[in-house]
Amino acid sequence: MLTAARNEMLTRVGPGTPMGELLRRYWQPVAGAGEFDANPIKPIRLLGEDLVLYRDLRGRYGLVDRHCPHRRADMSYGWVEDNGIRCSYHGWLVNETGRCLEQPYEDTANPKPSKAGCDTKAYPVKECAGLLFAYLGPLPAPELPVWEPFTWVNGFREIVLADIPCNWFQCQENSIDPVHFEWMHDNWGSRLRGGDANAAPKHLKLKFEEFDHGFIYKRVREGQSEQDRYWTVGRVALWPNGFYLGSHFEWRVPVDDENTLSVAWFFMRVPKGREPYVQERVPTWVSPIKDENGRWISSHVINQDIVAWVGQGRIADRTKENLRSSDIGVTMMRNRFFQEMDAVAAGKEPAGVIRSANAAACIALPNMAREFNTEGVALADFDKDPILRQRLKEFRHHYGQPAAVRRAFVEAMGISGA
Ligand code: FES
Ligand SMILES: [Fe+2]
């Protein structure tokens, strides 16, 4: 249980709030680069700030204030040119550094040597593994961590976005919550398919550890032992707002205090013998979370998680909870956030910020699936692993995979589309 004041600290993300200041020290994934092929301008809201993300005609990404520096028209209704984005109201042009380059009427009728004071807010953007990352903190920006899976080759990658109407922190608490797999995904999943028993293997033992890039949780369930990779390797709650499960990442990116952008990045190694496989463009798609009756969609794994997150309310009231031993990891994570908020307030660099390009270039994480993802297995052997077999049949993580993405996946894997 937390006091209301501590809950506010964990959940408020706007500029000047302790958590807002902490999260601004890290690069945040905000979009898929492929989204900008069809439309080079995307309005986004991030950490309570209204912004526009764009790709100019020279291929440079910019993230600038949604409001024009002139009289605050909406820049997302402008257009991109060689050198930036132009407002459709009176044609002012700004670039990715926030510089105001052109003010067409003034430039023609009343030219002034300087446009000083007319610059707009702008944040750095980097592309990696098909994702666009933004950094909203003090400069110089730290290195963008290149997680090892981003360097893997011969795989089909896809990015799935979902707009979640609740605070980010309750989503991130789900990244350090092993027991929910038994209930939410196994037992509830079985009920949704018509089952009538709580037959999933029970969790017998849990362990939570901290490491350089977050937390690792380990578990033993009925039928498993301490020799199992779920205990020897475990899974990663990636600091500060990610989740890493071996072949995919999820991030819970704060839009504002009451909304979260779920960003998930998936990798599926092509079967041995299908190399080389080169993916021209990583597809990005948006997963719907409500059905036609206004109920949350519950058929897919991450959609089930979303039911839990939004069910806790727009901002979970942690003054009313009852934490038990299954929640030790949740408490560890909260305490670490409180410590790191204090560190930032004291002018220190918080945990997990990387300043060395070498250190950031390829960061290995505990990974139960490295061999499969790097070496691959023959298609005939996919059948031996229930998770791989299922993965070939359908995309179970998020509802609504577009047919074109499925077709590209089928083609990459060299399987029939059925
Ligand atoms: S408001 Fe954008 S150019 Fe005038
Ligand atoms: Fe889950």
Side-chain angles (χ1 to χ4, degrees):
M1 193 194 104
L2 288 181
T3 62
R6 300 280 271 180
N7 200 29
E8 291 260 305
M9 269 184 85
L10 283 181
T11 53
R12 304 287 171 185
V13 295
T17 60
M19 185 61 89
E21 289 306 303
L22 173 61
L23 291 176
R24 280 170 171 75
R25 264 58 176 189
Y26 305 94
W27 289 90
Q28 298 289 342
V30 293
E35 294 181 81
F36 293 78
D37 296 344
N39 184 348
I41 296 177
K42 183 177 185 182
I44 67 168
R45 188 165 159 79
L46 187 59
L47 295 163
E49 299 186 42
D50 288 313
L51 304 165
V52 181
L53 182 54
Y54 70 87
R55 183 167 72 203
D56 73 18
L57 297 179
R58 293 194 195 166
R60 282 174 306 210
Y61 290 97
L63 179 61
V64 298
D65 196 332
R66 177 92 177 258
H67 296 287
C68 176
H70 179 215
R71 279 171 35 216
R72 303 191 53 76
D74 185 341
M75 295 295 287
S76 73
Y77 289 90
W79 60 87
V80 294
E81 297 188 1
D82 276 350
N83 259 336
I85 184 168
R86 193 181 291 278
C87 178
S88 55
Y89 201 5
H90 314 96
W92 285 27
L93 180 77
V94 302
N95 74 3
E96 76 282 357
T97 68
R99 283 276 303 282
C100 180
L101 302 177
E102 292 180 17
Q103 300 172 357
Y105 176 76
E106 308 306 324
D107 296 342
T108 305
N110 185 26
K112 285 190 192 141
S114 147
K115 295 178 173 61
C118 296
D119 291 350
T120 195
K121 181 163 75 178
Y123 296 119
V125 177
K126 283 190 179 180
E127 181 177 357
C128 184
L131 285 165
L132 296 181
F133 291 84
Y135 175 78
L136 273 61
L139 298 173
E143 297 295 327
L144 173 70
V146 179
W147 308 112
E148 183 206 334
F150 292 167
T151 69
W152 290 342
V153 294
N154 290 312
F156 184 87
R157 294 168 292 178
E158 66 195 281
I159 295 163
V160 188
L161 308 177
D163 297 306
I164 318 292
C166 71
N167 182 261
W168 73 284
F169 199 77
Q170 59 217 51
C171 312
Q172 180 59 2
E173 286 176 330
N174 182 217
S175 309
I176 193 156
D177 185 347
V179 171
H180 92 281
F181 280 87
E182 174 186 332
W183 289 94
M184 172 150 266
H185 302 306
D186 293 348
N187 284 328
W188 187 34
S190 154
R191 299 267 171 175
L192 290 167
R193 294 187 297 272
D196 61 1
N198 301 330
K202 288 189 174 59
H203 280 75
L204 304 175
K205 191 171 172 181
L206 302 176
K207 186 157 77 171
F208 301 93
E209 296 167 353
E210 197 168 347
F211 79 121
D212 284 352
H213 302 290
F215 301 90
I216 305 165
Y217 68 73
K218 300 179 169 179
R219 60 181 173 212
V220 177
R221 295 177 67 174
E222 286 173 340
Q224 296 176 336
S225 75
E226 291 183 15
Q227 273 65 57
D228 196 281
R229 60 205 169 127
Y230 283 92
W231 186 261
T232 56
V233 181
R235 275 181 172 162
V236 174
L238 190 64
W239 182 262
N241 57 331
F243 189 22
Y244 172 60
L245 299 98
S247 301
H248 86 269
F249 289 88
E250 300 171 23
W251 289 271
R252 300 67 161 90
V253 181
V255 169
D256 53 30
D257 294 346
E258 298 195 351
N259 293 282
T260 301
L261 176 68
S262 167
V263 178
W265 181 96
F266 296 89
F267 181 91
M268 180 66 174
R269 175 69 161 75
V270 299
K272 225 174 195 157
R274 296 256 334 147
E275 310 92 341
Y277 170 73
V278 178
Q279 191 179 27
E280 290 300 326
R281 193 42 118 180
V282 182
T284 299
W285 53 278
V286 177
S287 175
I289 63 169
K290 268 192 176 173
D291 67 18
E292 60 281 6
N293 301 315
R295 296 284 290 171
W296 307 113
I297 293 168
S298 56
S299 53
H300 289 60
V301 177
I302 298 174
N303 293 83
Q304 293 170 351
D305 293 319
I306 292 169
V307 174
W309 308 341
V310 294
Q312 290 171 285
R314 288 307 279 249
I315 301 180
D317 184 351
R318 294 178 178 78
T319 67
K320 295 193 173 130
E321 62 190 9
N322 292 290
L323 301 182
R324 289 294 179 267
S325 66
S326 64
D327 310 304
I328 286 171
V330 168
T331 301
M332 278 172 78
M333 192 170 75
R334 291 178 188 176
N335 288 340
R336 169 58 56 205
F337 272 104
F338 287 124
Q339 287 163 4
E340 298 305 323
M341 283 188 269
D342 287 347
V344 169
K348 296 188 190 131
E349 184 111 290
V353 169
I354 303 170
R355 294 284 171 190
S356 144
N358 266 351
C362 180
I363 305 171
L365 294 169
N367 182 355
M368 295 192 271
R370 179 178 284 109
E371 201 178 319
F372 166 71
N373 282 312
T374 55
E375 307 298 318
V377 300
L379 187 56
D381 293 332
F382 275 54
D383 235 15
K384 294 180 192 154
D385 181 318
I387 294 176
L388 290 182
R389 187 169 59 228
Q390 187 67 32
R391 181 78 164 83
L392 283 191
K393 246 173 50 191
E394 57 173 343
F395 186 76
R396 285 189 63 232
H397 294 91
H398 261 296
Y399 172 81
Q401 188 190 50
V405 178
R406 173 70 190 167
R407 276 198 302 276
F409 175 83
V410 160
E411 164 76 13
M413 296 298 136
I415 56 176
S416 83

